[in-house]
Amino acid sequence: MAPLTPEDRLRLAREMDETRLRMFRMNMLRKRPGIDAGELKRAVLEWMGDGGIQDFVDSGGERPKGMDAAVANGLERSYSRLGAVFDALDAPWSLAGSLAVSARVEPAYMTQAGVILAVKDEQVAQGILDGLREAGLRLLSVTDQMWVKNWDHEHGRPADPDNVEIEHHPNGLVAGARLVDETGDRDLEVDLIFAASGIEAEITASADPLEILPGQVFRVARTGHLIALTLLSLGDPGRQPQPDEFAEMDAFASEQAFTGIRERADLTALTNAATPDDWRLAWQAVDLMATRSATRSRNLRTELAAFLAESEG
């Protein structure tokens, strides 16, 4: 991946505003299907504040009629290709991670997508990875089912990659993979999850089809499932690095900390927007994860209650 030029950065900044605005607009139309154009424009202006792109806001976040496909920005074309590639696979899938949170709750500019696939057979998983490579995605890494225990965090010290114990699952199944699609104008990283939570089948079965951008419909994991998944991914709150420790971290740990910051922001956005039905699903999900030994020694029900108490305090 070539470094970004100043021109690339300016283009990225405009794409960021455009894509967030269009996601927000689609979200408003889903929640309030009867909203009129004037009210929608006022909502968009209020949400974007003073830093928006006024000509695009004036159009209500729409492209000129008949030109959508021709002028959608590079990031949106990458999203469209992502959907087409996974729709072509012979396996149920749904969008997860920060991009799913962006589609459901708080629109954001994301060049990384999480995808859940309900696959338990090792050969099927490998066949899917082969198919994705044939479709042009480059495989960066594959992870089997394992757990990482960092002994420094046991004593409240920053993460140290040299003091980590990795426990591999005895069945050796592929848990997930990271790939990158470099075929479009914008590189898009894909975190693929086969077996991390133990409830991938339930997540994909209940995912809702959402039009997250005009003409782009994805099956997106439900809010309750996203809460449970994000909590699981975030890790034990007692082992998360504190802000005053960031300066001491090396590159490995700093990347880990950044991921934790993003996931914590995702969890806050999800819990703030969750309905009673979302909470029922979230509690059911963490309990089901525990029965399937996906949480190891962690008590996600207690962790979720603690997070709620902290956010409400």
Side-chain angles (χ1 to χ4, degrees):
M1 303 178 201
L4 295 176
T5 65
E7 292 78 10
D8 289 332
R9 294 184 185 279
L10 285 173
R11 198 158 48 246
L12 274 169
R14 183 175 181 89
E15 287 184 6
M16 176 176 67
D17 278 345
E18 288 183 351
T19 301
R20 290 177 64 236
L21 186 150
R22 284 154 68 84
M23 279 190 175
F24 176 80
R25 181 177 180 276
M26 296 309 302
N27 207 330
M28 286 289 293
L29 290 173
R30 283 199 305 270
K31 292 177 179 177
R32 299 174 59 186
I35 189 171
D36 63 52
E39 192 175 358
L40 178 59
K41 180 179 175 180
R42 285 191 295 274
V44 167
L45 284 168
E46 181 180 350
W47 181 71
M48 289 293 287
D50 296 330
I53 39 180
Q54 189 63 46
D55 59 334
F56 199 56
V57 172
D58 285 343
S59 72
E62 289 187 292
R63 299 287 188 174
K65 293 185 184 300
M67 295 180 62
D68 279 23
V71 297
N73 68 43
L75 178 64
E76 294 169 27
R77 285 193 290 273
S78 294
Y79 288 169
S80 180
R81 173 170 156 75
L82 173 79
V85 167
F86 280 92
D87 281 343
L89 297 177
D90 188 21
W93 72 281
S94 68
L95 205 60
S98 292
L99 183 54
V101 176
S102 181
R104 284 207 176 271
V105 180
E106 183 63 32
Y109 177 83
M110 296 297 303
T111 55
Q112 186 175 26
V115 174
I116 300 256
L117 277 151
V119 173
K120 293 184 178 180
D121 185 272
E122 177 76 5
Q123 290 185 332
V124 173
Q126 293 293 346
I128 286 173
L129 292 178
D130 290 341
L132 293 173
R133 285 196 293 260
E134 290 173 5
L137 278 73
R138 182 162 62 90
L139 185 64
L140 300 177
S141 62
V142 177
T143 307
D144 67 6
Q145 291 188 37
M146 66 181 184
W147 297 272
V148 178
K149 186 177 184 66
N150 189 291
W151 294 104
D152 281 345
H153 272 166
E154 294 283 346
H155 304 289
R157 293 193 293 266
D160 180 357
D162 295 323
N163 197 13
V164 167
E165 177 183 326
I166 298 177
E167 302 176 42
H168 292 270
H169 195 283
N171 65 19
L173 291 177
V174 172
R178 174 165 288 187
L179 306 98
V180 61
D181 185 356
E182 301 167 311
T183 61
D185 302 328
R186 286 284 165 264
D187 293 348
L188 184 63
E189 289 191 9
V190 181
D191 285 322
L192 190 58
I193 301 169
F194 291 118
S197 67
I199 61 170
E200 283 75 15
E202 285 81 2
I203 292 170
T204 56
S206 64
D208 298 324
L210 297 182
E211 188 177 10
I212 68 171
L213 288 162
Q216 293 194 29
V217 178
F218 291 80
R219 290 190 62 81
V220 182
R222 293 172 61 187
T223 299
H225 281 149
L226 289 172
I227 289 172
L229 285 172
T230 307
L231 184 69
L232 179 66
S233 178
L234 187 60
D236 186 339
R239 297 181 182 179
Q240 292 171 23
Q242 299 302 309
D244 60 355
E245 298 174 346
F246 293 166
E248 304 174 34
M249 295 180 176
D250 58 21
F252 170 90
S254 295
E255 180 180 354
Q256 189 180 56
F258 172 77
T259 300
I261 292 169
R262 188 189 69 228
E263 289 171 342
R264 187 174 180 84
D266 286 345
L267 189 56
T268 298
L270 289 164
T271 54
N272 287 342
T275 67
D277 284 343
D278 295 328
W279 281 117
R280 278 190 289 272
L281 185 61
W283 293 117
Q284 290 169 6
V286 296
D287 288 343
L288 192 55
M289 287 178 186
T291 64
R292 295 180 181 174
S293 301
T295 61
R296 297 290 279 174
S297 59
R298 292 173 59 189
N299 187 329
L300 289 188
R301 177 170 276 272
T302 300
E303 289 182 26
L304 185 53
F307 183 87
L308 277 174
E310 179 185 332
S311 63
E312 293 171 355

